[in-house]
Amino acid sequence: MFYSYGRYYRFKLTAAQQSKREEKHRPFMFTAQLENAIPVPDPYKELVEKSNQDIAHFEELVAKVCAQRGESDRGVRNGFYTLLSRYENRFRILYSEGNHDAELKHAFLGRLHYYAKTWDKEDGCLELIDVLSLAIALGISIKNEDLAVLLQKIHAANYQDYFVDVLARHLYPTWQGNCQEFICGEEMEIIRRILRSPKDEAVTLLAEYLRNVWYDLHEDCSWYESHKGKGPVYYGYWAFEAVAIVKILGLDDAKLKQEQYYPYDLAHMSF
């Protein structure tokens, strides 16, 4: 039995005739005949269905508790964090599956909704960059209430990060932040070089970032090395901020198409 393109195939081995074996000088020689294909479950489809069920369950549960105790209740806040995680996973599953329709955008809007509700200045910088980058990639405007709330919170917290300011300014042109430092560490200095370089050089530097910086920069993220885990815990690795940079600078990303972590299809979607 062997596996190919989502199916297992049975095959039947028959020993070749002795004259054929002698002719080819092979004492052990067989012919193989394929039999019926055996369909196997699509792992991504199962993950999507499970994700949809989880989100529906938690949203119903959180809505009931919230109606009784209000949004400040600890249990409700925990529910918000759970839904934030579920929507984030759902987006990654859908994109990795190849789902590029409105369902993908809906998954992000769910994530944005709960991220705006729960964001705190002490939360990880990389997740904030991820969310703002996806807002740019998916064409979410400041007219979106959740995005407006998130940007207001970032401004009120006097959040100081160079790349966050660049992303926020693209989403909201009158953004006043002008920080020159990186909260995420000196590894992000290549981002400044990309943003300040001519277009051809920027593409080359962005490819370098994808190959040599991006993955290890995220070693503290919960999904890091998830491809080594057991069970359905790996949903793909995607550098969504690379798409935001391509859109901000108006780059030709043809040379990035084969880069392992570059979500090329996302850069070319229209909603």
Side-chain angles (χ1 to χ4, degrees):
M1 184 178 294
F2 74 96
Y3 178 81
S4 177
Y5 296 100
R7 293 175 179 268
Y8 282 100
Y9 290 85
R10 290 193 183 97
F11 60 91
K12 182 179 180 181
L13 290 177
T14 305
Q17 295 181 350
Q18 183 176 348
S19 58
K20 192 71 172 179
R21 299 200 303 270
E22 292 174 350
E23 177 187 345
K24 298 294 183 181
H25 304 289
R26 294 179 182 177
F28 303 101
M29 186 175 178
F30 301 88
T31 58
Q33 181 178 357
L34 289 179
E35 298 183 342
N36 293 335
I38 306 172
V40 295
D42 181 341
Y44 278 114
K45 183 177 181 181
E46 291 184 349
L47 285 172
V48 170
E49 292 175 353
K50 178 66 165 57
S51 174
N52 291 342
Q53 292 170 3
D54 285 348
I55 288 172
H57 169 73
F58 280 107
E59 286 197 322
E60 181 179 0
L61 184 62
V62 169
K64 288 181 180 179
V65 178
C66 188
Q68 297 170 353
R69 305 178 189 173
E71 287 194 2
S72 61
D73 176 76
R74 182 176 179 180
V76 172
R77 303 296 294 178
N78 288 338
F80 288 165
Y81 284 115
T82 298
L83 283 164
L84 170 61
S85 175
R86 294 296 192 276
Y87 271 110
E88 178 183 1
N89 290 343
R90 183 168 183 256
F91 181 91
R92 292 178 183 276
I93 293 167
L94 287 170
Y95 183 75
S96 296
E97 181 195 27
N99 186 318
H100 302 153
D101 59 17
E103 189 177 5
L104 185 69
K105 188 172 184 178
H106 179 268
F108 172 71
L109 290 175
R111 179 187 180 187
L112 177 61
H113 177 69
Y114 291 105
Y115 189 70
K117 282 183 177 294
T118 59
W119 183 83
D120 184 87
K121 186 176 181 179
E122 301 305 317
D123 291 345
C125 177
L126 292 173
E127 184 174 9
L128 177 56
I129 288 171
D130 200 60
V131 170
L132 295 179
S133 296
L134 279 170
I136 292 171
L138 295 169
I140 309 299
S141 77
I142 193 64
K143 294 179 181 179
N144 179 280
E145 183 178 348
D146 293 315
L147 180 59
V149 167
L150 176 59
L151 291 176
Q152 288 169 4
K153 285 186 173 183
I154 296 169
H155 176 71
N158 193 29
Y159 199 82
Q160 298 290 311
D161 182 84
Y162 172 81
F163 194 25
V164 169
D165 279 343
V166 170
L167 297 170
R169 191 175 300 111
H170 187 80
L171 291 163
Y172 188 49
T174 58
W175 184 262
Q176 297 299 313
N178 193 31
C179 178
Q180 298 301 308
E181 306 298 324
F182 291 98
I183 290 179
C184 295
E186 62 183 13
E187 297 91 344
M188 293 291 284
E189 183 61 38
I190 191 174
I191 296 295
R192 192 196 317 271
R193 293 169 57 202
I194 293 169
L195 292 167
R196 293 181 175 180
S197 295
K199 290 186 176 182
D200 287 347
E201 185 178 346
V203 171
T204 300
L205 288 170
L206 188 50
E208 179 183 337
Y209 171 74
L210 290 166
R211 293 173 196 166
N212 303 325
V213 178
W214 182 81
Y215 184 71
D216 287 337
L217 182 66
H218 291 76
E219 64 179 346
D220 292 330
C221 293
S222 60
W223 50 258
Y224 186 77
E225 293 194 337
S226 60
H227 64 287
K228 297 180 180 180
K230 296 181 180 179
V233 295
Y234 171 61
Y235 308 134
Y237 299 138
W238 303 109
F240 296 122
E241 68 271 28
V243 174
I245 291 172
V246 164
K247 289 185 174 290
I248 289 170
L249 298 181
L251 302 178
D252 180 354
D253 65 349
K255 293 181 179 179
L256 301 174
K257 187 173 183 179
Q258 301 304 320
E259 294 296 332
Q260 182 178 2
Y261 305 124
Y262 182 64
Y264 179 84
D265 291 339
L266 183 65
H268 297 270
M269 290 181 195
S270 58
F271 293 93

